[in-house]
mmCIF file with all atom_site columns, all heavy atoms in Angstrom:
data_model
loop_
_atom_site.group_PDB
_atom_site.id
_atom_site.type_symbol
_atom_site.label_atom_id
_atom_site.label_alt_id
_atom_site.label_comp_id
_atom_site.label_asym_id
_atom_site.label_entity_id
_atom_site.label_seq_id
_atom_site.pdbx_PDB_ins_code
_atom_site.Cartn_x
_atom_site.Cartn_y
_atom_site.Cartn_z
_atom_site.occupancy
_atom_site.B_iso_or_equiv
_atom_site.pdbx_formal_charge
_atom_site.auth_seq_id
_atom_site.auth_comp_id
_atom_site.auth_asym_id
_atom_site.auth_atom_id
_atom_site.pdbx_PDB_model_num
ATOM 1   N N   . SER U 1 1  ? -303.665 -139.671 68.391 1.00 0.00 ? 1  SER U N   1
ATOM 2   C CA  . SER U 1 1  ? -304.414 -139.527 69.632 1.00 0.00 ? 1  SER U CA  1
ATOM 3   C C   . SER U 1 1  ? -305.712 -138.767 69.404 1.00 0.00 ? 1  SER U C   1
ATOM 4   O O   . SER U 1 1  ? -305.759 -137.801 68.632 1.00 0.00 ? 1  SER U O   1
ATOM 5   C CB  . SER U 1 1  ? -303.556 -138.795 70.668 1.00 0.00 ? 1  SER U CB  1
ATOM 6   O OG  . SER U 1 1  ? -304.316 -138.478 71.807 1.00 0.00 ? 1  SER U OG  1
ATOM 7   N N   . ILE U 1 2  ? -306.764 -139.197 70.079 1.00 0.00 ? 2  ILE U N   1
ATOM 8   C CA  . ILE U 1 2  ? -308.040 -138.492 70.004 1.00 0.00 ? 2  ILE U CA  1
ATOM 9   C C   . ILE U 1 2  ? -307.988 -137.229 70.845 1.00 0.00 ? 2  ILE U C   1
ATOM 10  O O   . ILE U 1 2  ? -308.493 -136.173 70.448 1.00 0.00 ? 2  ILE U O   1
ATOM 11  C CB  . ILE U 1 2  ? -309.183 -139.412 70.486 1.00 0.00 ? 2  ILE U CB  1
ATOM 12  C CG1 . ILE U 1 2  ? -309.315 -140.625 69.553 1.00 0.00 ? 2  ILE U CG1 1
ATOM 13  C CG2 . ILE U 1 2  ? -310.504 -138.641 70.564 1.00 0.00 ? 2  ILE U CG2 1
ATOM 14  C CD1 . ILE U 1 2  ? -310.320 -141.640 70.020 1.00 0.00 ? 2  ILE U CD1 1
ATOM 15  N N   . SER U 1 3  ? -307.365 -137.314 71.991 1.00 0.00 ? 3  SER U N   1
ATOM 16  C CA  . SER U 1 3  ? -307.328 -136.176 72.914 1.00 0.00 ? 3  SER U CA  1
ATOM 17  C C   . SER U 1 3  ? -306.168 -135.224 72.645 1.00 0.00 ? 3  SER U C   1
ATOM 18  O O   . SER U 1 3  ? -306.198 -134.064 73.050 1.00 0.00 ? 3  SER U O   1
ATOM 19  C CB  . SER U 1 3  ? -307.253 -136.673 74.359 1.00 0.00 ? 3  SER U CB  1
ATOM 20  O OG  . SER U 1 3  ? -306.142 -137.534 74.530 1.00 0.00 ? 3  SER U OG  1
ATOM 21  N N   . ASN U 1 4  ? -305.114 -135.720 71.960 1.00 0.00 ? 4  ASN U N   1
ATOM 22  C CA  . ASN U 1 4  ? -303.951 -134.882 71.667 1.00 0.00 ? 4  ASN U CA  1
ATOM 23  C C   . ASN U 1 4  ? -303.661 -134.936 70.175 1.00 0.00 ? 4  ASN U C   1
ATOM 24  O O   . ASN U 1 4  ? -303.106 -135.916 69.670 1.00 0.00 ? 4  ASN U O   1
ATOM 25  C CB  . ASN U 1 4  ? -302.725 -135.361 72.447 1.00 0.00 ? 4  ASN U CB  1
ATOM 26  C CG  . ASN U 1 4  ? -302.928 -135.312 73.943 1.00 0.00 ? 4  ASN U CG  1
ATOM 27  O OD1 . ASN U 1 4  ? -303.121 -134.252 74.518 1.00 0.00 ? 4  ASN U OD1 1
ATOM 28  N ND2 . ASN U 1 4  ? -302.897 -136.481 74.581 1.00 0.00 ? 4  ASN U ND2 1
ATOM 29  N N   . ALA U 1 5  ? -304.059 -133.892 69.453 1.00 0.00 ? 5  ALA U N   1
ATOM 30  C CA  . ALA U 1 5  ? -303.869 -133.866 68.007 1.00 0.00 ? 5  ALA U CA  1
ATOM 31  C C   . ALA U 1 5  ? -302.389 -133.878 67.663 1.00 0.00 ? 5  ALA U C   1
ATOM 32  O O   . ALA U 1 5  ? -301.532 -133.450 68.443 1.00 0.00 ? 5  ALA U O   1
ATOM 33  C CB  . ALA U 1 5  ? -304.537 -132.623 67.418 1.00 0.00 ? 5  ALA U CB  1
ATOM 34  N N   . ASN U 1 6  ? -302.084 -134.394 66.462 1.00 0.00 ? 6  ASN U N   1
ATOM 35  C CA  . ASN U 1 6  ? -300.711 -134.422 65.944 1.00 0.00 ? 6  ASN U CA  1
ATOM 36  C C   . ASN U 1 6  ? -299.770 -135.213 66.864 1.00 0.00 ? 6  ASN U C   1
ATOM 37  O O   . ASN U 1 6  ? -298.619 -134.838 67.071 1.00 0.00 ? 6  ASN U O   1
ATOM 38  C CB  . ASN U 1 6  ? -300.163 -132.998 65.759 1.00 0.00 ? 6  ASN U CB  1
ATOM 39  C CG  . ASN U 1 6  ? -301.102 -132.114 64.963 1.00 0.00 ? 6  ASN U CG  1
ATOM 40  O OD1 . ASN U 1 6  ? -301.557 -132.491 63.889 1.00 0.00 ? 6  ASN U OD1 1
ATOM 41  N ND2 . ASN U 1 6  ? -301.413 -130.949 65.507 1.00 0.00 ? 6  ASN U ND2 1
ATOM 42  N N   . GLN U 1 7  ? -300.257 -136.340 67.358 1.00 0.00 ? 7  GLN U N   1
ATOM 43  C CA  . GLN U 1 7  ? -299.460 -137.106 68.307 1.00 0.00 ? 7  GLN U CA  1
ATOM 44  C C   . GLN U 1 7  ? -299.945 -138.549 68.396 1.00 0.00 ? 7  GLN U C   1
ATOM 45  O O   . GLN U 1 7  ? -301.136 -138.824 68.350 1.00 0.00 ? 7  GLN U O   1
ATOM 46  C CB  . GLN U 1 7  ? -299.556 -136.455 69.690 1.00 0.00 ? 7  GLN U CB  1
ATOM 47  C CG  . GLN U 1 7  ? -298.853 -137.189 70.803 1.00 0.00 ? 7  GLN U CG  1
ATOM 48  C CD  . GLN U 1 7  ? -298.923 -136.438 72.113 1.00 0.00 ? 7  GLN U CD  1
ATOM 49  O OE1 . GLN U 1 7  ? -298.474 -135.295 72.211 1.00 0.00 ? 7  GLN U OE1 1
ATOM 50  N NE2 . GLN U 1 7  ? -299.505 -137.070 73.123 1.00 0.00 ? 7  GLN U NE2 1
ATOM 51  N N   . ILE U 1 8  ? -299.006 -139.472 68.512 1.00 0.00 ? 8  ILE U N   1
ATOM 52  C CA  . ILE U 1 8  ? -299.284 -140.853 68.920 1.00 0.00 ? 8  ILE U CA  1
ATOM 53  C C   . ILE U 1 8  ? -298.912 -140.946 70.385 1.00 0.00 ? 8  ILE U C   1
ATOM 54  O O   . ILE U 1 8  ? -297.752 -140.738 70.754 1.00 0.00 ? 8  ILE U O   1
ATOM 55  C CB  . ILE U 1 8  ? -298.480 -141.859 68.077 1.00 0.00 ? 8  ILE U CB  1
ATOM 56  C CG1 . ILE U 1 8  ? -298.956 -141.836 66.622 1.00 0.00 ? 8  ILE U CG1 1
ATOM 57  C CG2 . ILE U 1 8  ? -298.595 -143.269 68.649 1.00 0.00 ? 8  ILE U CG2 1
ATOM 58  C CD1 . ILE U 1 8  ? -298.102 -142.664 65.684 1.00 0.00 ? 8  ILE U CD1 1
ATOM 59  N N   . ASP U 1 9  ? -299.890 -141.227 71.223 1.00 0.00 ? 9  ASP U N   1
ATOM 60  C CA  . ASP U 1 9  ? -299.647 -141.187 72.669 1.00 0.00 ? 9  ASP U CA  1
ATOM 61  C C   . ASP U 1 9  ? -298.617 -142.210 73.114 1.00 0.00 ? 9  ASP U C   1
ATOM 62  O O   . ASP U 1 9  ? -297.741 -141.913 73.924 1.00 0.00 ? 9  ASP U O   1
ATOM 63  C CB  . ASP U 1 9  ? -300.952 -141.399 73.438 1.00 0.00 ? 9  ASP U CB  1
ATOM 64  C CG  . ASP U 1 9  ? -301.866 -140.178 73.371 1.00 0.00 ? 9  ASP U CG  1
ATOM 65  O OD1 . ASP U 1 9  ? -301.352 -139.062 73.142 1.00 0.00 ? 9  ASP U OD1 1
ATOM 66  O OD2 . ASP U 1 9  ? -303.086 -140.349 73.550 1.00 0.00 ? 9  ASP U OD2 1
ATOM 67  N N   . ASN U 1 10 ? -298.727 -143.424 72.596 1.00 0.00 ? 10 ASN U N   1
ATOM 68  C CA  . ASN U 1 10 ? -297.781 -144.468 72.988 1.00 0.00 ? 10 ASN U CA  1
ATOM 69  C C   . ASN U 1 10 ? -297.782 -145.573 71.943 1.00 0.00 ? 10 ASN U C   1
ATOM 70  O O   . ASN U 1 10 ? -298.735 -146.345 71.840 1.00 0.00 ? 10 ASN U O   1
ATOM 71  C CB  . ASN U 1 10 ? -298.114 -145.049 74.360 1.00 0.00 ? 10 ASN U CB  1
ATOM 72  C CG  . ASN U 1 10 ? -297.072 -146.057 74.831 1.00 0.00 ? 10 ASN U CG  1
ATOM 73  O OD1 . ASN U 1 10 ? -295.995 -146.178 74.244 1.00 0.00 ? 10 ASN U OD1 1
ATOM 74  N ND2 . ASN U 1 10 ? -297.383 -146.788 75.883 1.00 0.00 ? 10 ASN U ND2 1
ATOM 75  N N   . ALA U 1 11 ? -296.693 -145.652 71.188 1.00 0.00 ? 11 ALA U N   1
ATOM 76  C CA  . ALA U 1 11 ? -296.564 -146.699 70.180 1.00 0.00 ? 11 ALA U CA  1
ATOM 77  C C   . ALA U 1 11 ? -296.415 -148.079 70.811 1.00 0.00 ? 11 ALA U C   1
ATOM 78  O O   . ALA U 1 11 ? -296.503 -149.099 70.114 1.00 0.00 ? 11 ALA U O   1
ATOM 79  C CB  . ALA U 1 11 ? -295.360 -146.407 69.283 1.00 0.00 ? 11 ALA U CB  1
ATOM 80  N N   . LEU U 1 12 ? -296.197 -148.122 72.130 1.00 0.00 ? 12 LEU U N   1
ATOM 81  C CA  . LEU U 1 12 ? -296.050 -149.393 72.841 1.00 0.00 ? 12 LEU U CA  1
ATOM 82  C C   . LEU U 1 12 ? -297.205 -149.634 73.799 1.00 0.00 ? 12 LEU U C   1
ATOM 83  O O   . LEU U 1 12 ? -297.041 -150.286 74.833 1.00 0.00 ? 12 LEU U O   1
ATOM 84  C CB  . LEU U 1 12 ? -294.722 -149.414 73.607 1.00 0.00 ? 12 LEU U CB  1
ATOM 85  C CG  . LEU U 1 12 ? -293.461 -149.166 72.790 1.00 0.00 ? 12 LEU U CG  1
ATOM 86  C CD1 . LEU U 1 12 ? -292.223 -149.322 73.666 1.00 0.00 ? 12 LEU U CD1 1
ATOM 87  C CD2 . LEU U 1 12 ? -293.380 -150.109 71.603 1.00 0.00 ? 12 LEU U CD2 1
ATOM 88  N N   . ALA U 1 13 ? -298.379 -149.116 73.464 1.00 0.00 ? 13 ALA U N   1
ATOM 89  C CA  . ALA U 1 13 ? -299.529 -149.257 74.356 1.00 0.00 ? 13 ALA U CA  1
ATOM 90  C C   . ALA U 1 13 ? -299.873 -150.723 74.600 1.00 0.00 ? 13 ALA U C   1
ATOM 91  O O   . ALA U 1 13 ? -300.304 -151.096 75.701 1.00 0.00 ? 13 ALA U O   1
ATOM 92  C CB  . ALA U 1 13 ? -300.727 -148.522 73.772 1.00 0.00 ? 13 ALA U CB  1
ATOM 93  N N   . SER U 1 14 ? -299.675 -151.576 73.615 1.00 0.00 ? 14 SER U N   1
ATOM 94  C CA  . SER U 1 14 ? -300.040 -152.988 73.754 1.00 0.00 ? 14 SER U CA  1
ATOM 95  C C   . SER U 1 14 ? -298.959 -153.818 74.430 1.00 0.00 ? 14 SER U C   1
ATOM 96  O O   . SER U 1 14 ? -299.259 -154.845 75.052 1.00 0.00 ? 14 SER U O   1
ATOM 97  C CB  . SER U 1 14 ? -300.346 -153.597 72.379 1.00 0.00 ? 14 SER U CB  1
ATOM 98  O OG  . SER U 1 14 ? -301.471 -152.986 71.795 1.00 0.00 ? 14 SER U OG  1
ATOM 99  N N   . LYS U 1 15 ? -297.711 -153.393 74.316 1.00 0.00 ? 15 LYS U N   1
ATOM 100 C CA  . LYS U 1 15 ? -296.627 -154.187 74.898 1.00 0.00 ? 15 LYS U CA  1
ATOM 101 C C   . LYS U 1 15 ? -295.382 -153.323 75.062 1.00 0.00 ? 15 LYS U C   1
ATOM 102 O O   . LYS U 1 15 ? -295.016 -152.547 74.180 1.00 0.00 ? 15 LYS U O   1
ATOM 103 C CB  . LYS U 1 15 ? -296.290 -155.394 74.011 1.00 0.00 ? 15 LYS U CB  1
ATOM 104 C CG  . LYS U 1 15 ? -295.826 -155.009 72.603 1.00 0.00 ? 15 LYS U CG  1
ATOM 105 C CD  . LYS U 1 15 ? -295.445 -156.221 71.776 1.00 0.00 ? 15 LYS U CD  1
ATOM 106 C CE  . LYS U 1 15 ? -294.938 -155.797 70.391 1.00 0.00 ? 15 LYS U CE  1
ATOM 107 N NZ  . LYS U 1 15 ? -294.591 -156.955 69.544 1.00 0.00 ? 15 LYS U NZ  1
ATOM 108 N N   . SER U 1 16 ? -294.754 -153.447 76.198 1.00 0.00 ? 16 SER U N   1
ATOM 109 C CA  . SER U 1 16 ? -293.453 -152.816 76.402 1.00 0.00 ? 16 SER U CA  1
ATOM 110 C C   . SER U 1 16 ? -292.388 -153.684 75.744 1.00 0.00 ? 16 SER U C   1
ATOM 111 O O   . SER U 1 16 ? -292.604 -154.852 75.438 1.00 0.00 ? 16 SER U O   1
ATOM 112 C CB  . SER U 1 16 ? -293.159 -152.661 77.899 1.00 0.00 ? 16 SER U CB  1
ATOM 113 O OG  . SER U 1 16 ? -294.101 -151.815 78.522 1.00 0.00 ? 16 SER U OG  1
ATOM 114 N N   . TRP U 1 17 ? -291.224 -153.081 75.533 1.00 0.00 ? 17 TRP U N   1
ATOM 115 C CA  . TRP U 1 17 ? -290.078 -153.832 75.013 1.00 0.00 ? 17 TRP U CA  1
ATOM 116 C C   . TRP U 1 17 ? -289.102 -154.095 76.158 1.00 0.00 ? 17 TRP U C   1
ATOM 117 O O   . TRP U 1 17 ? -288.787 -153.194 76.946 1.00 0.00 ? 17 TRP U O   1
ATOM 118 C CB  . TRP U 1 17 ? -289.359 -153.039 73.925 1.00 0.00 ? 17 TRP U CB  1
ATOM 119 C CG  . TRP U 1 17 ? -290.113 -152.930 72.643 1.00 0.00 ? 17 TRP U CG  1
ATOM 120 C CD1 . TRP U 1 17 ? -291.044 -153.793 72.143 1.00 0.00 ? 17 TRP U CD1 1
ATOM 121 C CD2 . TRP U 1 17 ? -290.000 -151.873 71.670 1.00 0.00 ? 17 TRP U CD2 1
ATOM 122 N NE1 . TRP U 1 17 ? -291.518 -153.358 70.928 1.00 0.00 ? 17 TRP U NE1 1
ATOM 123 C CE2 . TRP U 1 17 ? -290.888 -152.180 70.615 1.00 0.00 ? 17 TRP U CE2 1
ATOM 124 C CE3 . TRP U 1 17 ? -289.231 -150.720 71.592 1.00 0.00 ? 17 TRP U CE3 1
ATOM 125 C CZ2 . TRP U 1 17 ? -291.025 -151.362 69.503 1.00 0.00 ? 17 TRP U CZ2 1
ATOM 126 C CZ3 . TRP U 1 17 ? -289.361 -149.901 70.484 1.00 0.00 ? 17 TRP U CZ3 1
ATOM 127 C CH2 . TRP U 1 17 ? -290.246 -150.225 69.444 1.00 0.00 ? 17 TRP U CH2 1
ATOM 128 N N   . TYR U 1 18 ? -288.605 -155.329 76.239 1.00 0.00 ? 18 TYR U N   1
ATOM 129 C CA  . TYR U 1 18 ? -287.633 -155.722 77.257 1.00 0.00 ? 18 TYR U CA  1
ATOM 130 C C   . TYR U 1 18 ? -286.378 -156.212 76.541 1.00 0.00 ? 18 TYR U C   1
ATOM 131 O O   . TYR U 1 18 ? -286.464 -157.062 75.640 1.00 0.00 ? 18 TYR U O   1
ATOM 132 C CB  . TYR U 1 18 ? -288.196 -156.820 78.153 1.00 0.00 ? 18 TYR U CB  1
ATOM 133 C CG  . TYR U 1 18 ? -289.477 -156.418 78.858 1.00 0.00 ? 18 TYR U CG  1
ATOM 134 C CD1 . TYR U 1 18 ? -290.716 -156.551 78.235 1.00 0.00 ? 18 TYR U CD1 1
ATOM 135 C CD2 . TYR U 1 18 ? -289.445 -155.885 80.148 1.00 0.00 ? 18 TYR U CD2 1
ATOM 136 C CE1 . TYR U 1 18 ? -291.889 -156.174 78.878 1.00 0.00 ? 18 TYR U CE1 1
ATOM 137 C CE2 . TYR U 1 18 ? -290.612 -155.505 80.796 1.00 0.00 ? 18 TYR U CE2 1
ATOM 138 C CZ  . TYR U 1 18 ? -291.828 -155.649 80.142 1.00 0.00 ? 18 TYR U CZ  1
ATOM 139 O OH  . TYR U 1 18 ? -292.991 -155.268 80.782 1.00 0.00 ? 18 TYR U OH  1
ATOM 140 N N   . LEU U 1 19 ? -285.228 -155.696 76.936 1.00 0.00 ? 19 LEU U N   1
ATOM 141 C CA  . LEU U 1 19 ? -283.999 -156.051 76.256 1.00 0.00 ? 19 LEU U CA  1
ATOM 142 C C   . LEU U 1 19 ? -282.817 -155.947 77.203 1.00 0.00 ? 19 LEU U C   1
ATOM 143 O O   . LEU U 1 19 ? -282.872 -155.236 78.206 1.00 0.00 ? 19 LEU U O   1
ATOM 144 C CB  . LEU U 1 19 ? -283.781 -155.178 75.024 1.00 0.00 ? 19 LEU U CB  1
ATOM 145 C CG  . LEU U 1 19 ? -283.718 -153.667 75.181 1.00 0.00 ? 19 LEU U CG  1
ATOM 146 C CD1 . LEU U 1 19 ? -283.212 -153.035 73.874 1.00 0.00 ? 19 LEU U CD1 1
ATOM 147 C CD2 . LEU U 1 19 ? -285.093 -153.047 75.468 1.00 0.00 ? 19 LEU U CD2 1
ATOM 148 N N   . PHE U 1 20 ? -281.776 -156.689 76.873 1.00 0.00 ? 20 PHE U N   1
ATOM 149 C CA  . PHE U 1 20 ? -280.596 -156.697 77.732 1.00 0.00 ? 20 PHE U CA  1
ATOM 150 C C   . PHE U 1 20 ? -279.778 -155.423 77.532 1.00 0.00 ? 20 PHE U C   1
ATOM 151 O O   . PHE U 1 20 ? -279.833 -154.783 76.480 1.00 0.00 ? 20 PHE U O   1
ATOM 152 C CB  . PHE U 1 20 ? -279.718 -157.910 77.442 1.00 0.00 ? 20 PHE U CB  1
ATOM 153 C CG  . PHE U 1 20 ? -280.260 -159.210 77.981 1.00 0.00 ? 20 PHE U CG  1
ATOM 154 C CD1 . PHE U 1 20 ? -279.968 -160.415 77.357 1.00 0.00 ? 20 PHE U CD1 1
ATOM 155 C CD2 . PHE U 1 20 ? -281.041 -159.241 79.123 1.00 0.00 ? 20 PHE U CD2 1
ATOM 156 C CE1 . PHE U 1 20 ? -280.440 -161.626 77.855 1.00 0.00 ? 20 PHE U CE1 1
ATOM 157 C CE2 . PHE U 1 20 ? -281.528 -160.435 79.638 1.00 0.00 ? 20 PHE U CE2 1
ATOM 158 C CZ  . PHE U 1 20 ? -281.223 -161.626 78.996 1.00 0.00 ? 20 PHE U CZ  1
ATOM 159 N N   . GLU U 1 21 ? -279.015 -155.108 78.554 1.00 0.00 ? 21 GLU U N   1
ATOM 160 C CA  . GLU U 1 21 ? -278.113 -153.957 78.517 1.00 0.00 ? 21 GLU U CA  1
ATOM 161 C C   . GLU U 1 21 ? -277.109 -154.108 77.371 1.00 0.00 ? 21 GLU U C   1
ATOM 162 O O   . GLU U 1 21 ? -276.552 -155.176 77.158 1.00 0.00 ? 21 GLU U O   1
ATOM 163 C CB  . GLU U 1 21 ? -277.389 -153.876 79.859 1.00 0.00 ? 21 GLU U CB  1
ATOM 164 C CG  . GLU U 1 21 ? -276.388 -152.776 80.001 1.00 0.00 ? 21 GLU U CG  1
ATOM 165 C CD  . GLU U 1 21 ? -275.796 -152.729 81.400 1.00 0.00 ? 21 GLU U CD  1
ATOM 166 O OE1 . GLU U 1 21 ? -276.570 -152.751 82.383 1.00 0.00 ? 21 GLU U OE1 1
ATOM 167 O OE2 . GLU U 1 21 ? -274.560 -152.684 81.518 1.00 0.00 ? 21 GLU U OE2 1
ATOM 168 N N   . ASN U 1 22 ? -276.909 -153.008 76.647 1.00 0.00 ? 22 ASN U N   1
ATOM 169 C CA  . ASN U 1 22 ? -275.920 -152.995 75.570 1.00 0.00 ? 22 ASN U CA  1
ATOM 170 C C   . ASN U 1 22 ? -274.790 -152.072 76.002 1.00 0.00 ? 22 ASN U C   1
ATOM 171 O O   . ASN U 1 22 ? -274.949 -150.856 76.037 1.00 0.00 ? 22 ASN U O   1
ATOM 172 C CB  . ASN U 1 22 ? -276.546 -152.509 74.266 1.00 0.00 ? 22 ASN U CB  1
ATOM 173 C CG  . ASN U 1 22 ? -275.736 -152.891 73.040 1.00 0.00 ? 22 ASN U CG  1
ATOM 174 O OD1 . ASN U 1 22 ? -274.696 -153.534 73.149 1.00 0.00 ? 22 ASN U OD1 1
ATOM 175 N ND2 . ASN U 1 22 ? -276.199 -152.494 71.874 1.00 0.00 ? 22 ASN U ND2 1
ATOM 176 N N   . SER U 1 23 ? -273.651 -152.645 76.356 1.00 0.00 ? 23 SER U N   1
ATOM 177 C CA  . SER U 1 23 ? -272.589 -151.894 77.023 1.00 0.00 ? 23 SER U CA  1
ATOM 178 C C   . SER U 1 23 ? -271.874 -150.952 76.060 1.00 0.00 ? 23 SER U C   1
ATOM 179 O O   . SER U 1 23 ? -271.947 -151.108 74.831 1.00 0.00 ? 23 SER U O   1
ATOM 180 C CB  . SER U 1 23 ? -271.574 -152.861 77.626 1.00 0.00 ? 23 SER U CB  1
ATOM 181 O OG  . SER U 1 23 ? -270.705 -153.348 76.624 1.00 0.00 ? 23 SER U OG  1
ATOM 182 N N   . PRO U 1 24 ? -271.152 -149.963 76.608 1.00 0.00 ? 24 PRO U N   1
ATOM 183 C CA  . PRO U 1 24 ? -270.358 -149.068 75.761 1.00 0.00 ? 24 PRO U CA  1
ATOM 184 C C   . PRO U 1 24 ? -269.297 -149.804 74.948 1.00 0.00 ? 24 PRO U C   1
ATOM 185 O O   . PRO U 1 24 ? -268.815 -149.279 73.945 1.00 0.00 ? 24 PRO U O   1
ATOM 186 C CB  . PRO U 1 24 ? -269.713 -148.117 76.775 1.00 0.00 ? 24 PRO U CB  1
ATOM 187 C CG  . PRO U 1 24 ? -270.580 -148.169 77.977 1.00 0.00 ? 24 PRO U CG  1
ATOM 188 C CD  . PRO U 1 24 ? -271.100 -149.574 78.026 1.00 0.00 ? 24 PRO U CD  1
#
């Protein structure tokens, strides 16, 4: 991050992940 050193603000900035529920 430019504004927050030592940090990646969001590794999913380009796309969210969508996935089905994985039950217990």
Side-chain angles (χ1 to χ4, degrees):
S1 172
I2 296 175
S3 56
N4 299 297
N6 309 310
Q7 176 176 302
I8 293 173
D9 287 336
N10 185 11
L12 304 184
S14 296
K15 60 178 182 182
S16 297
W17 289 333
Y18 302 85
L19 58 169
F20 285 151
E21 178 176 311
N22 199 0
S23 79

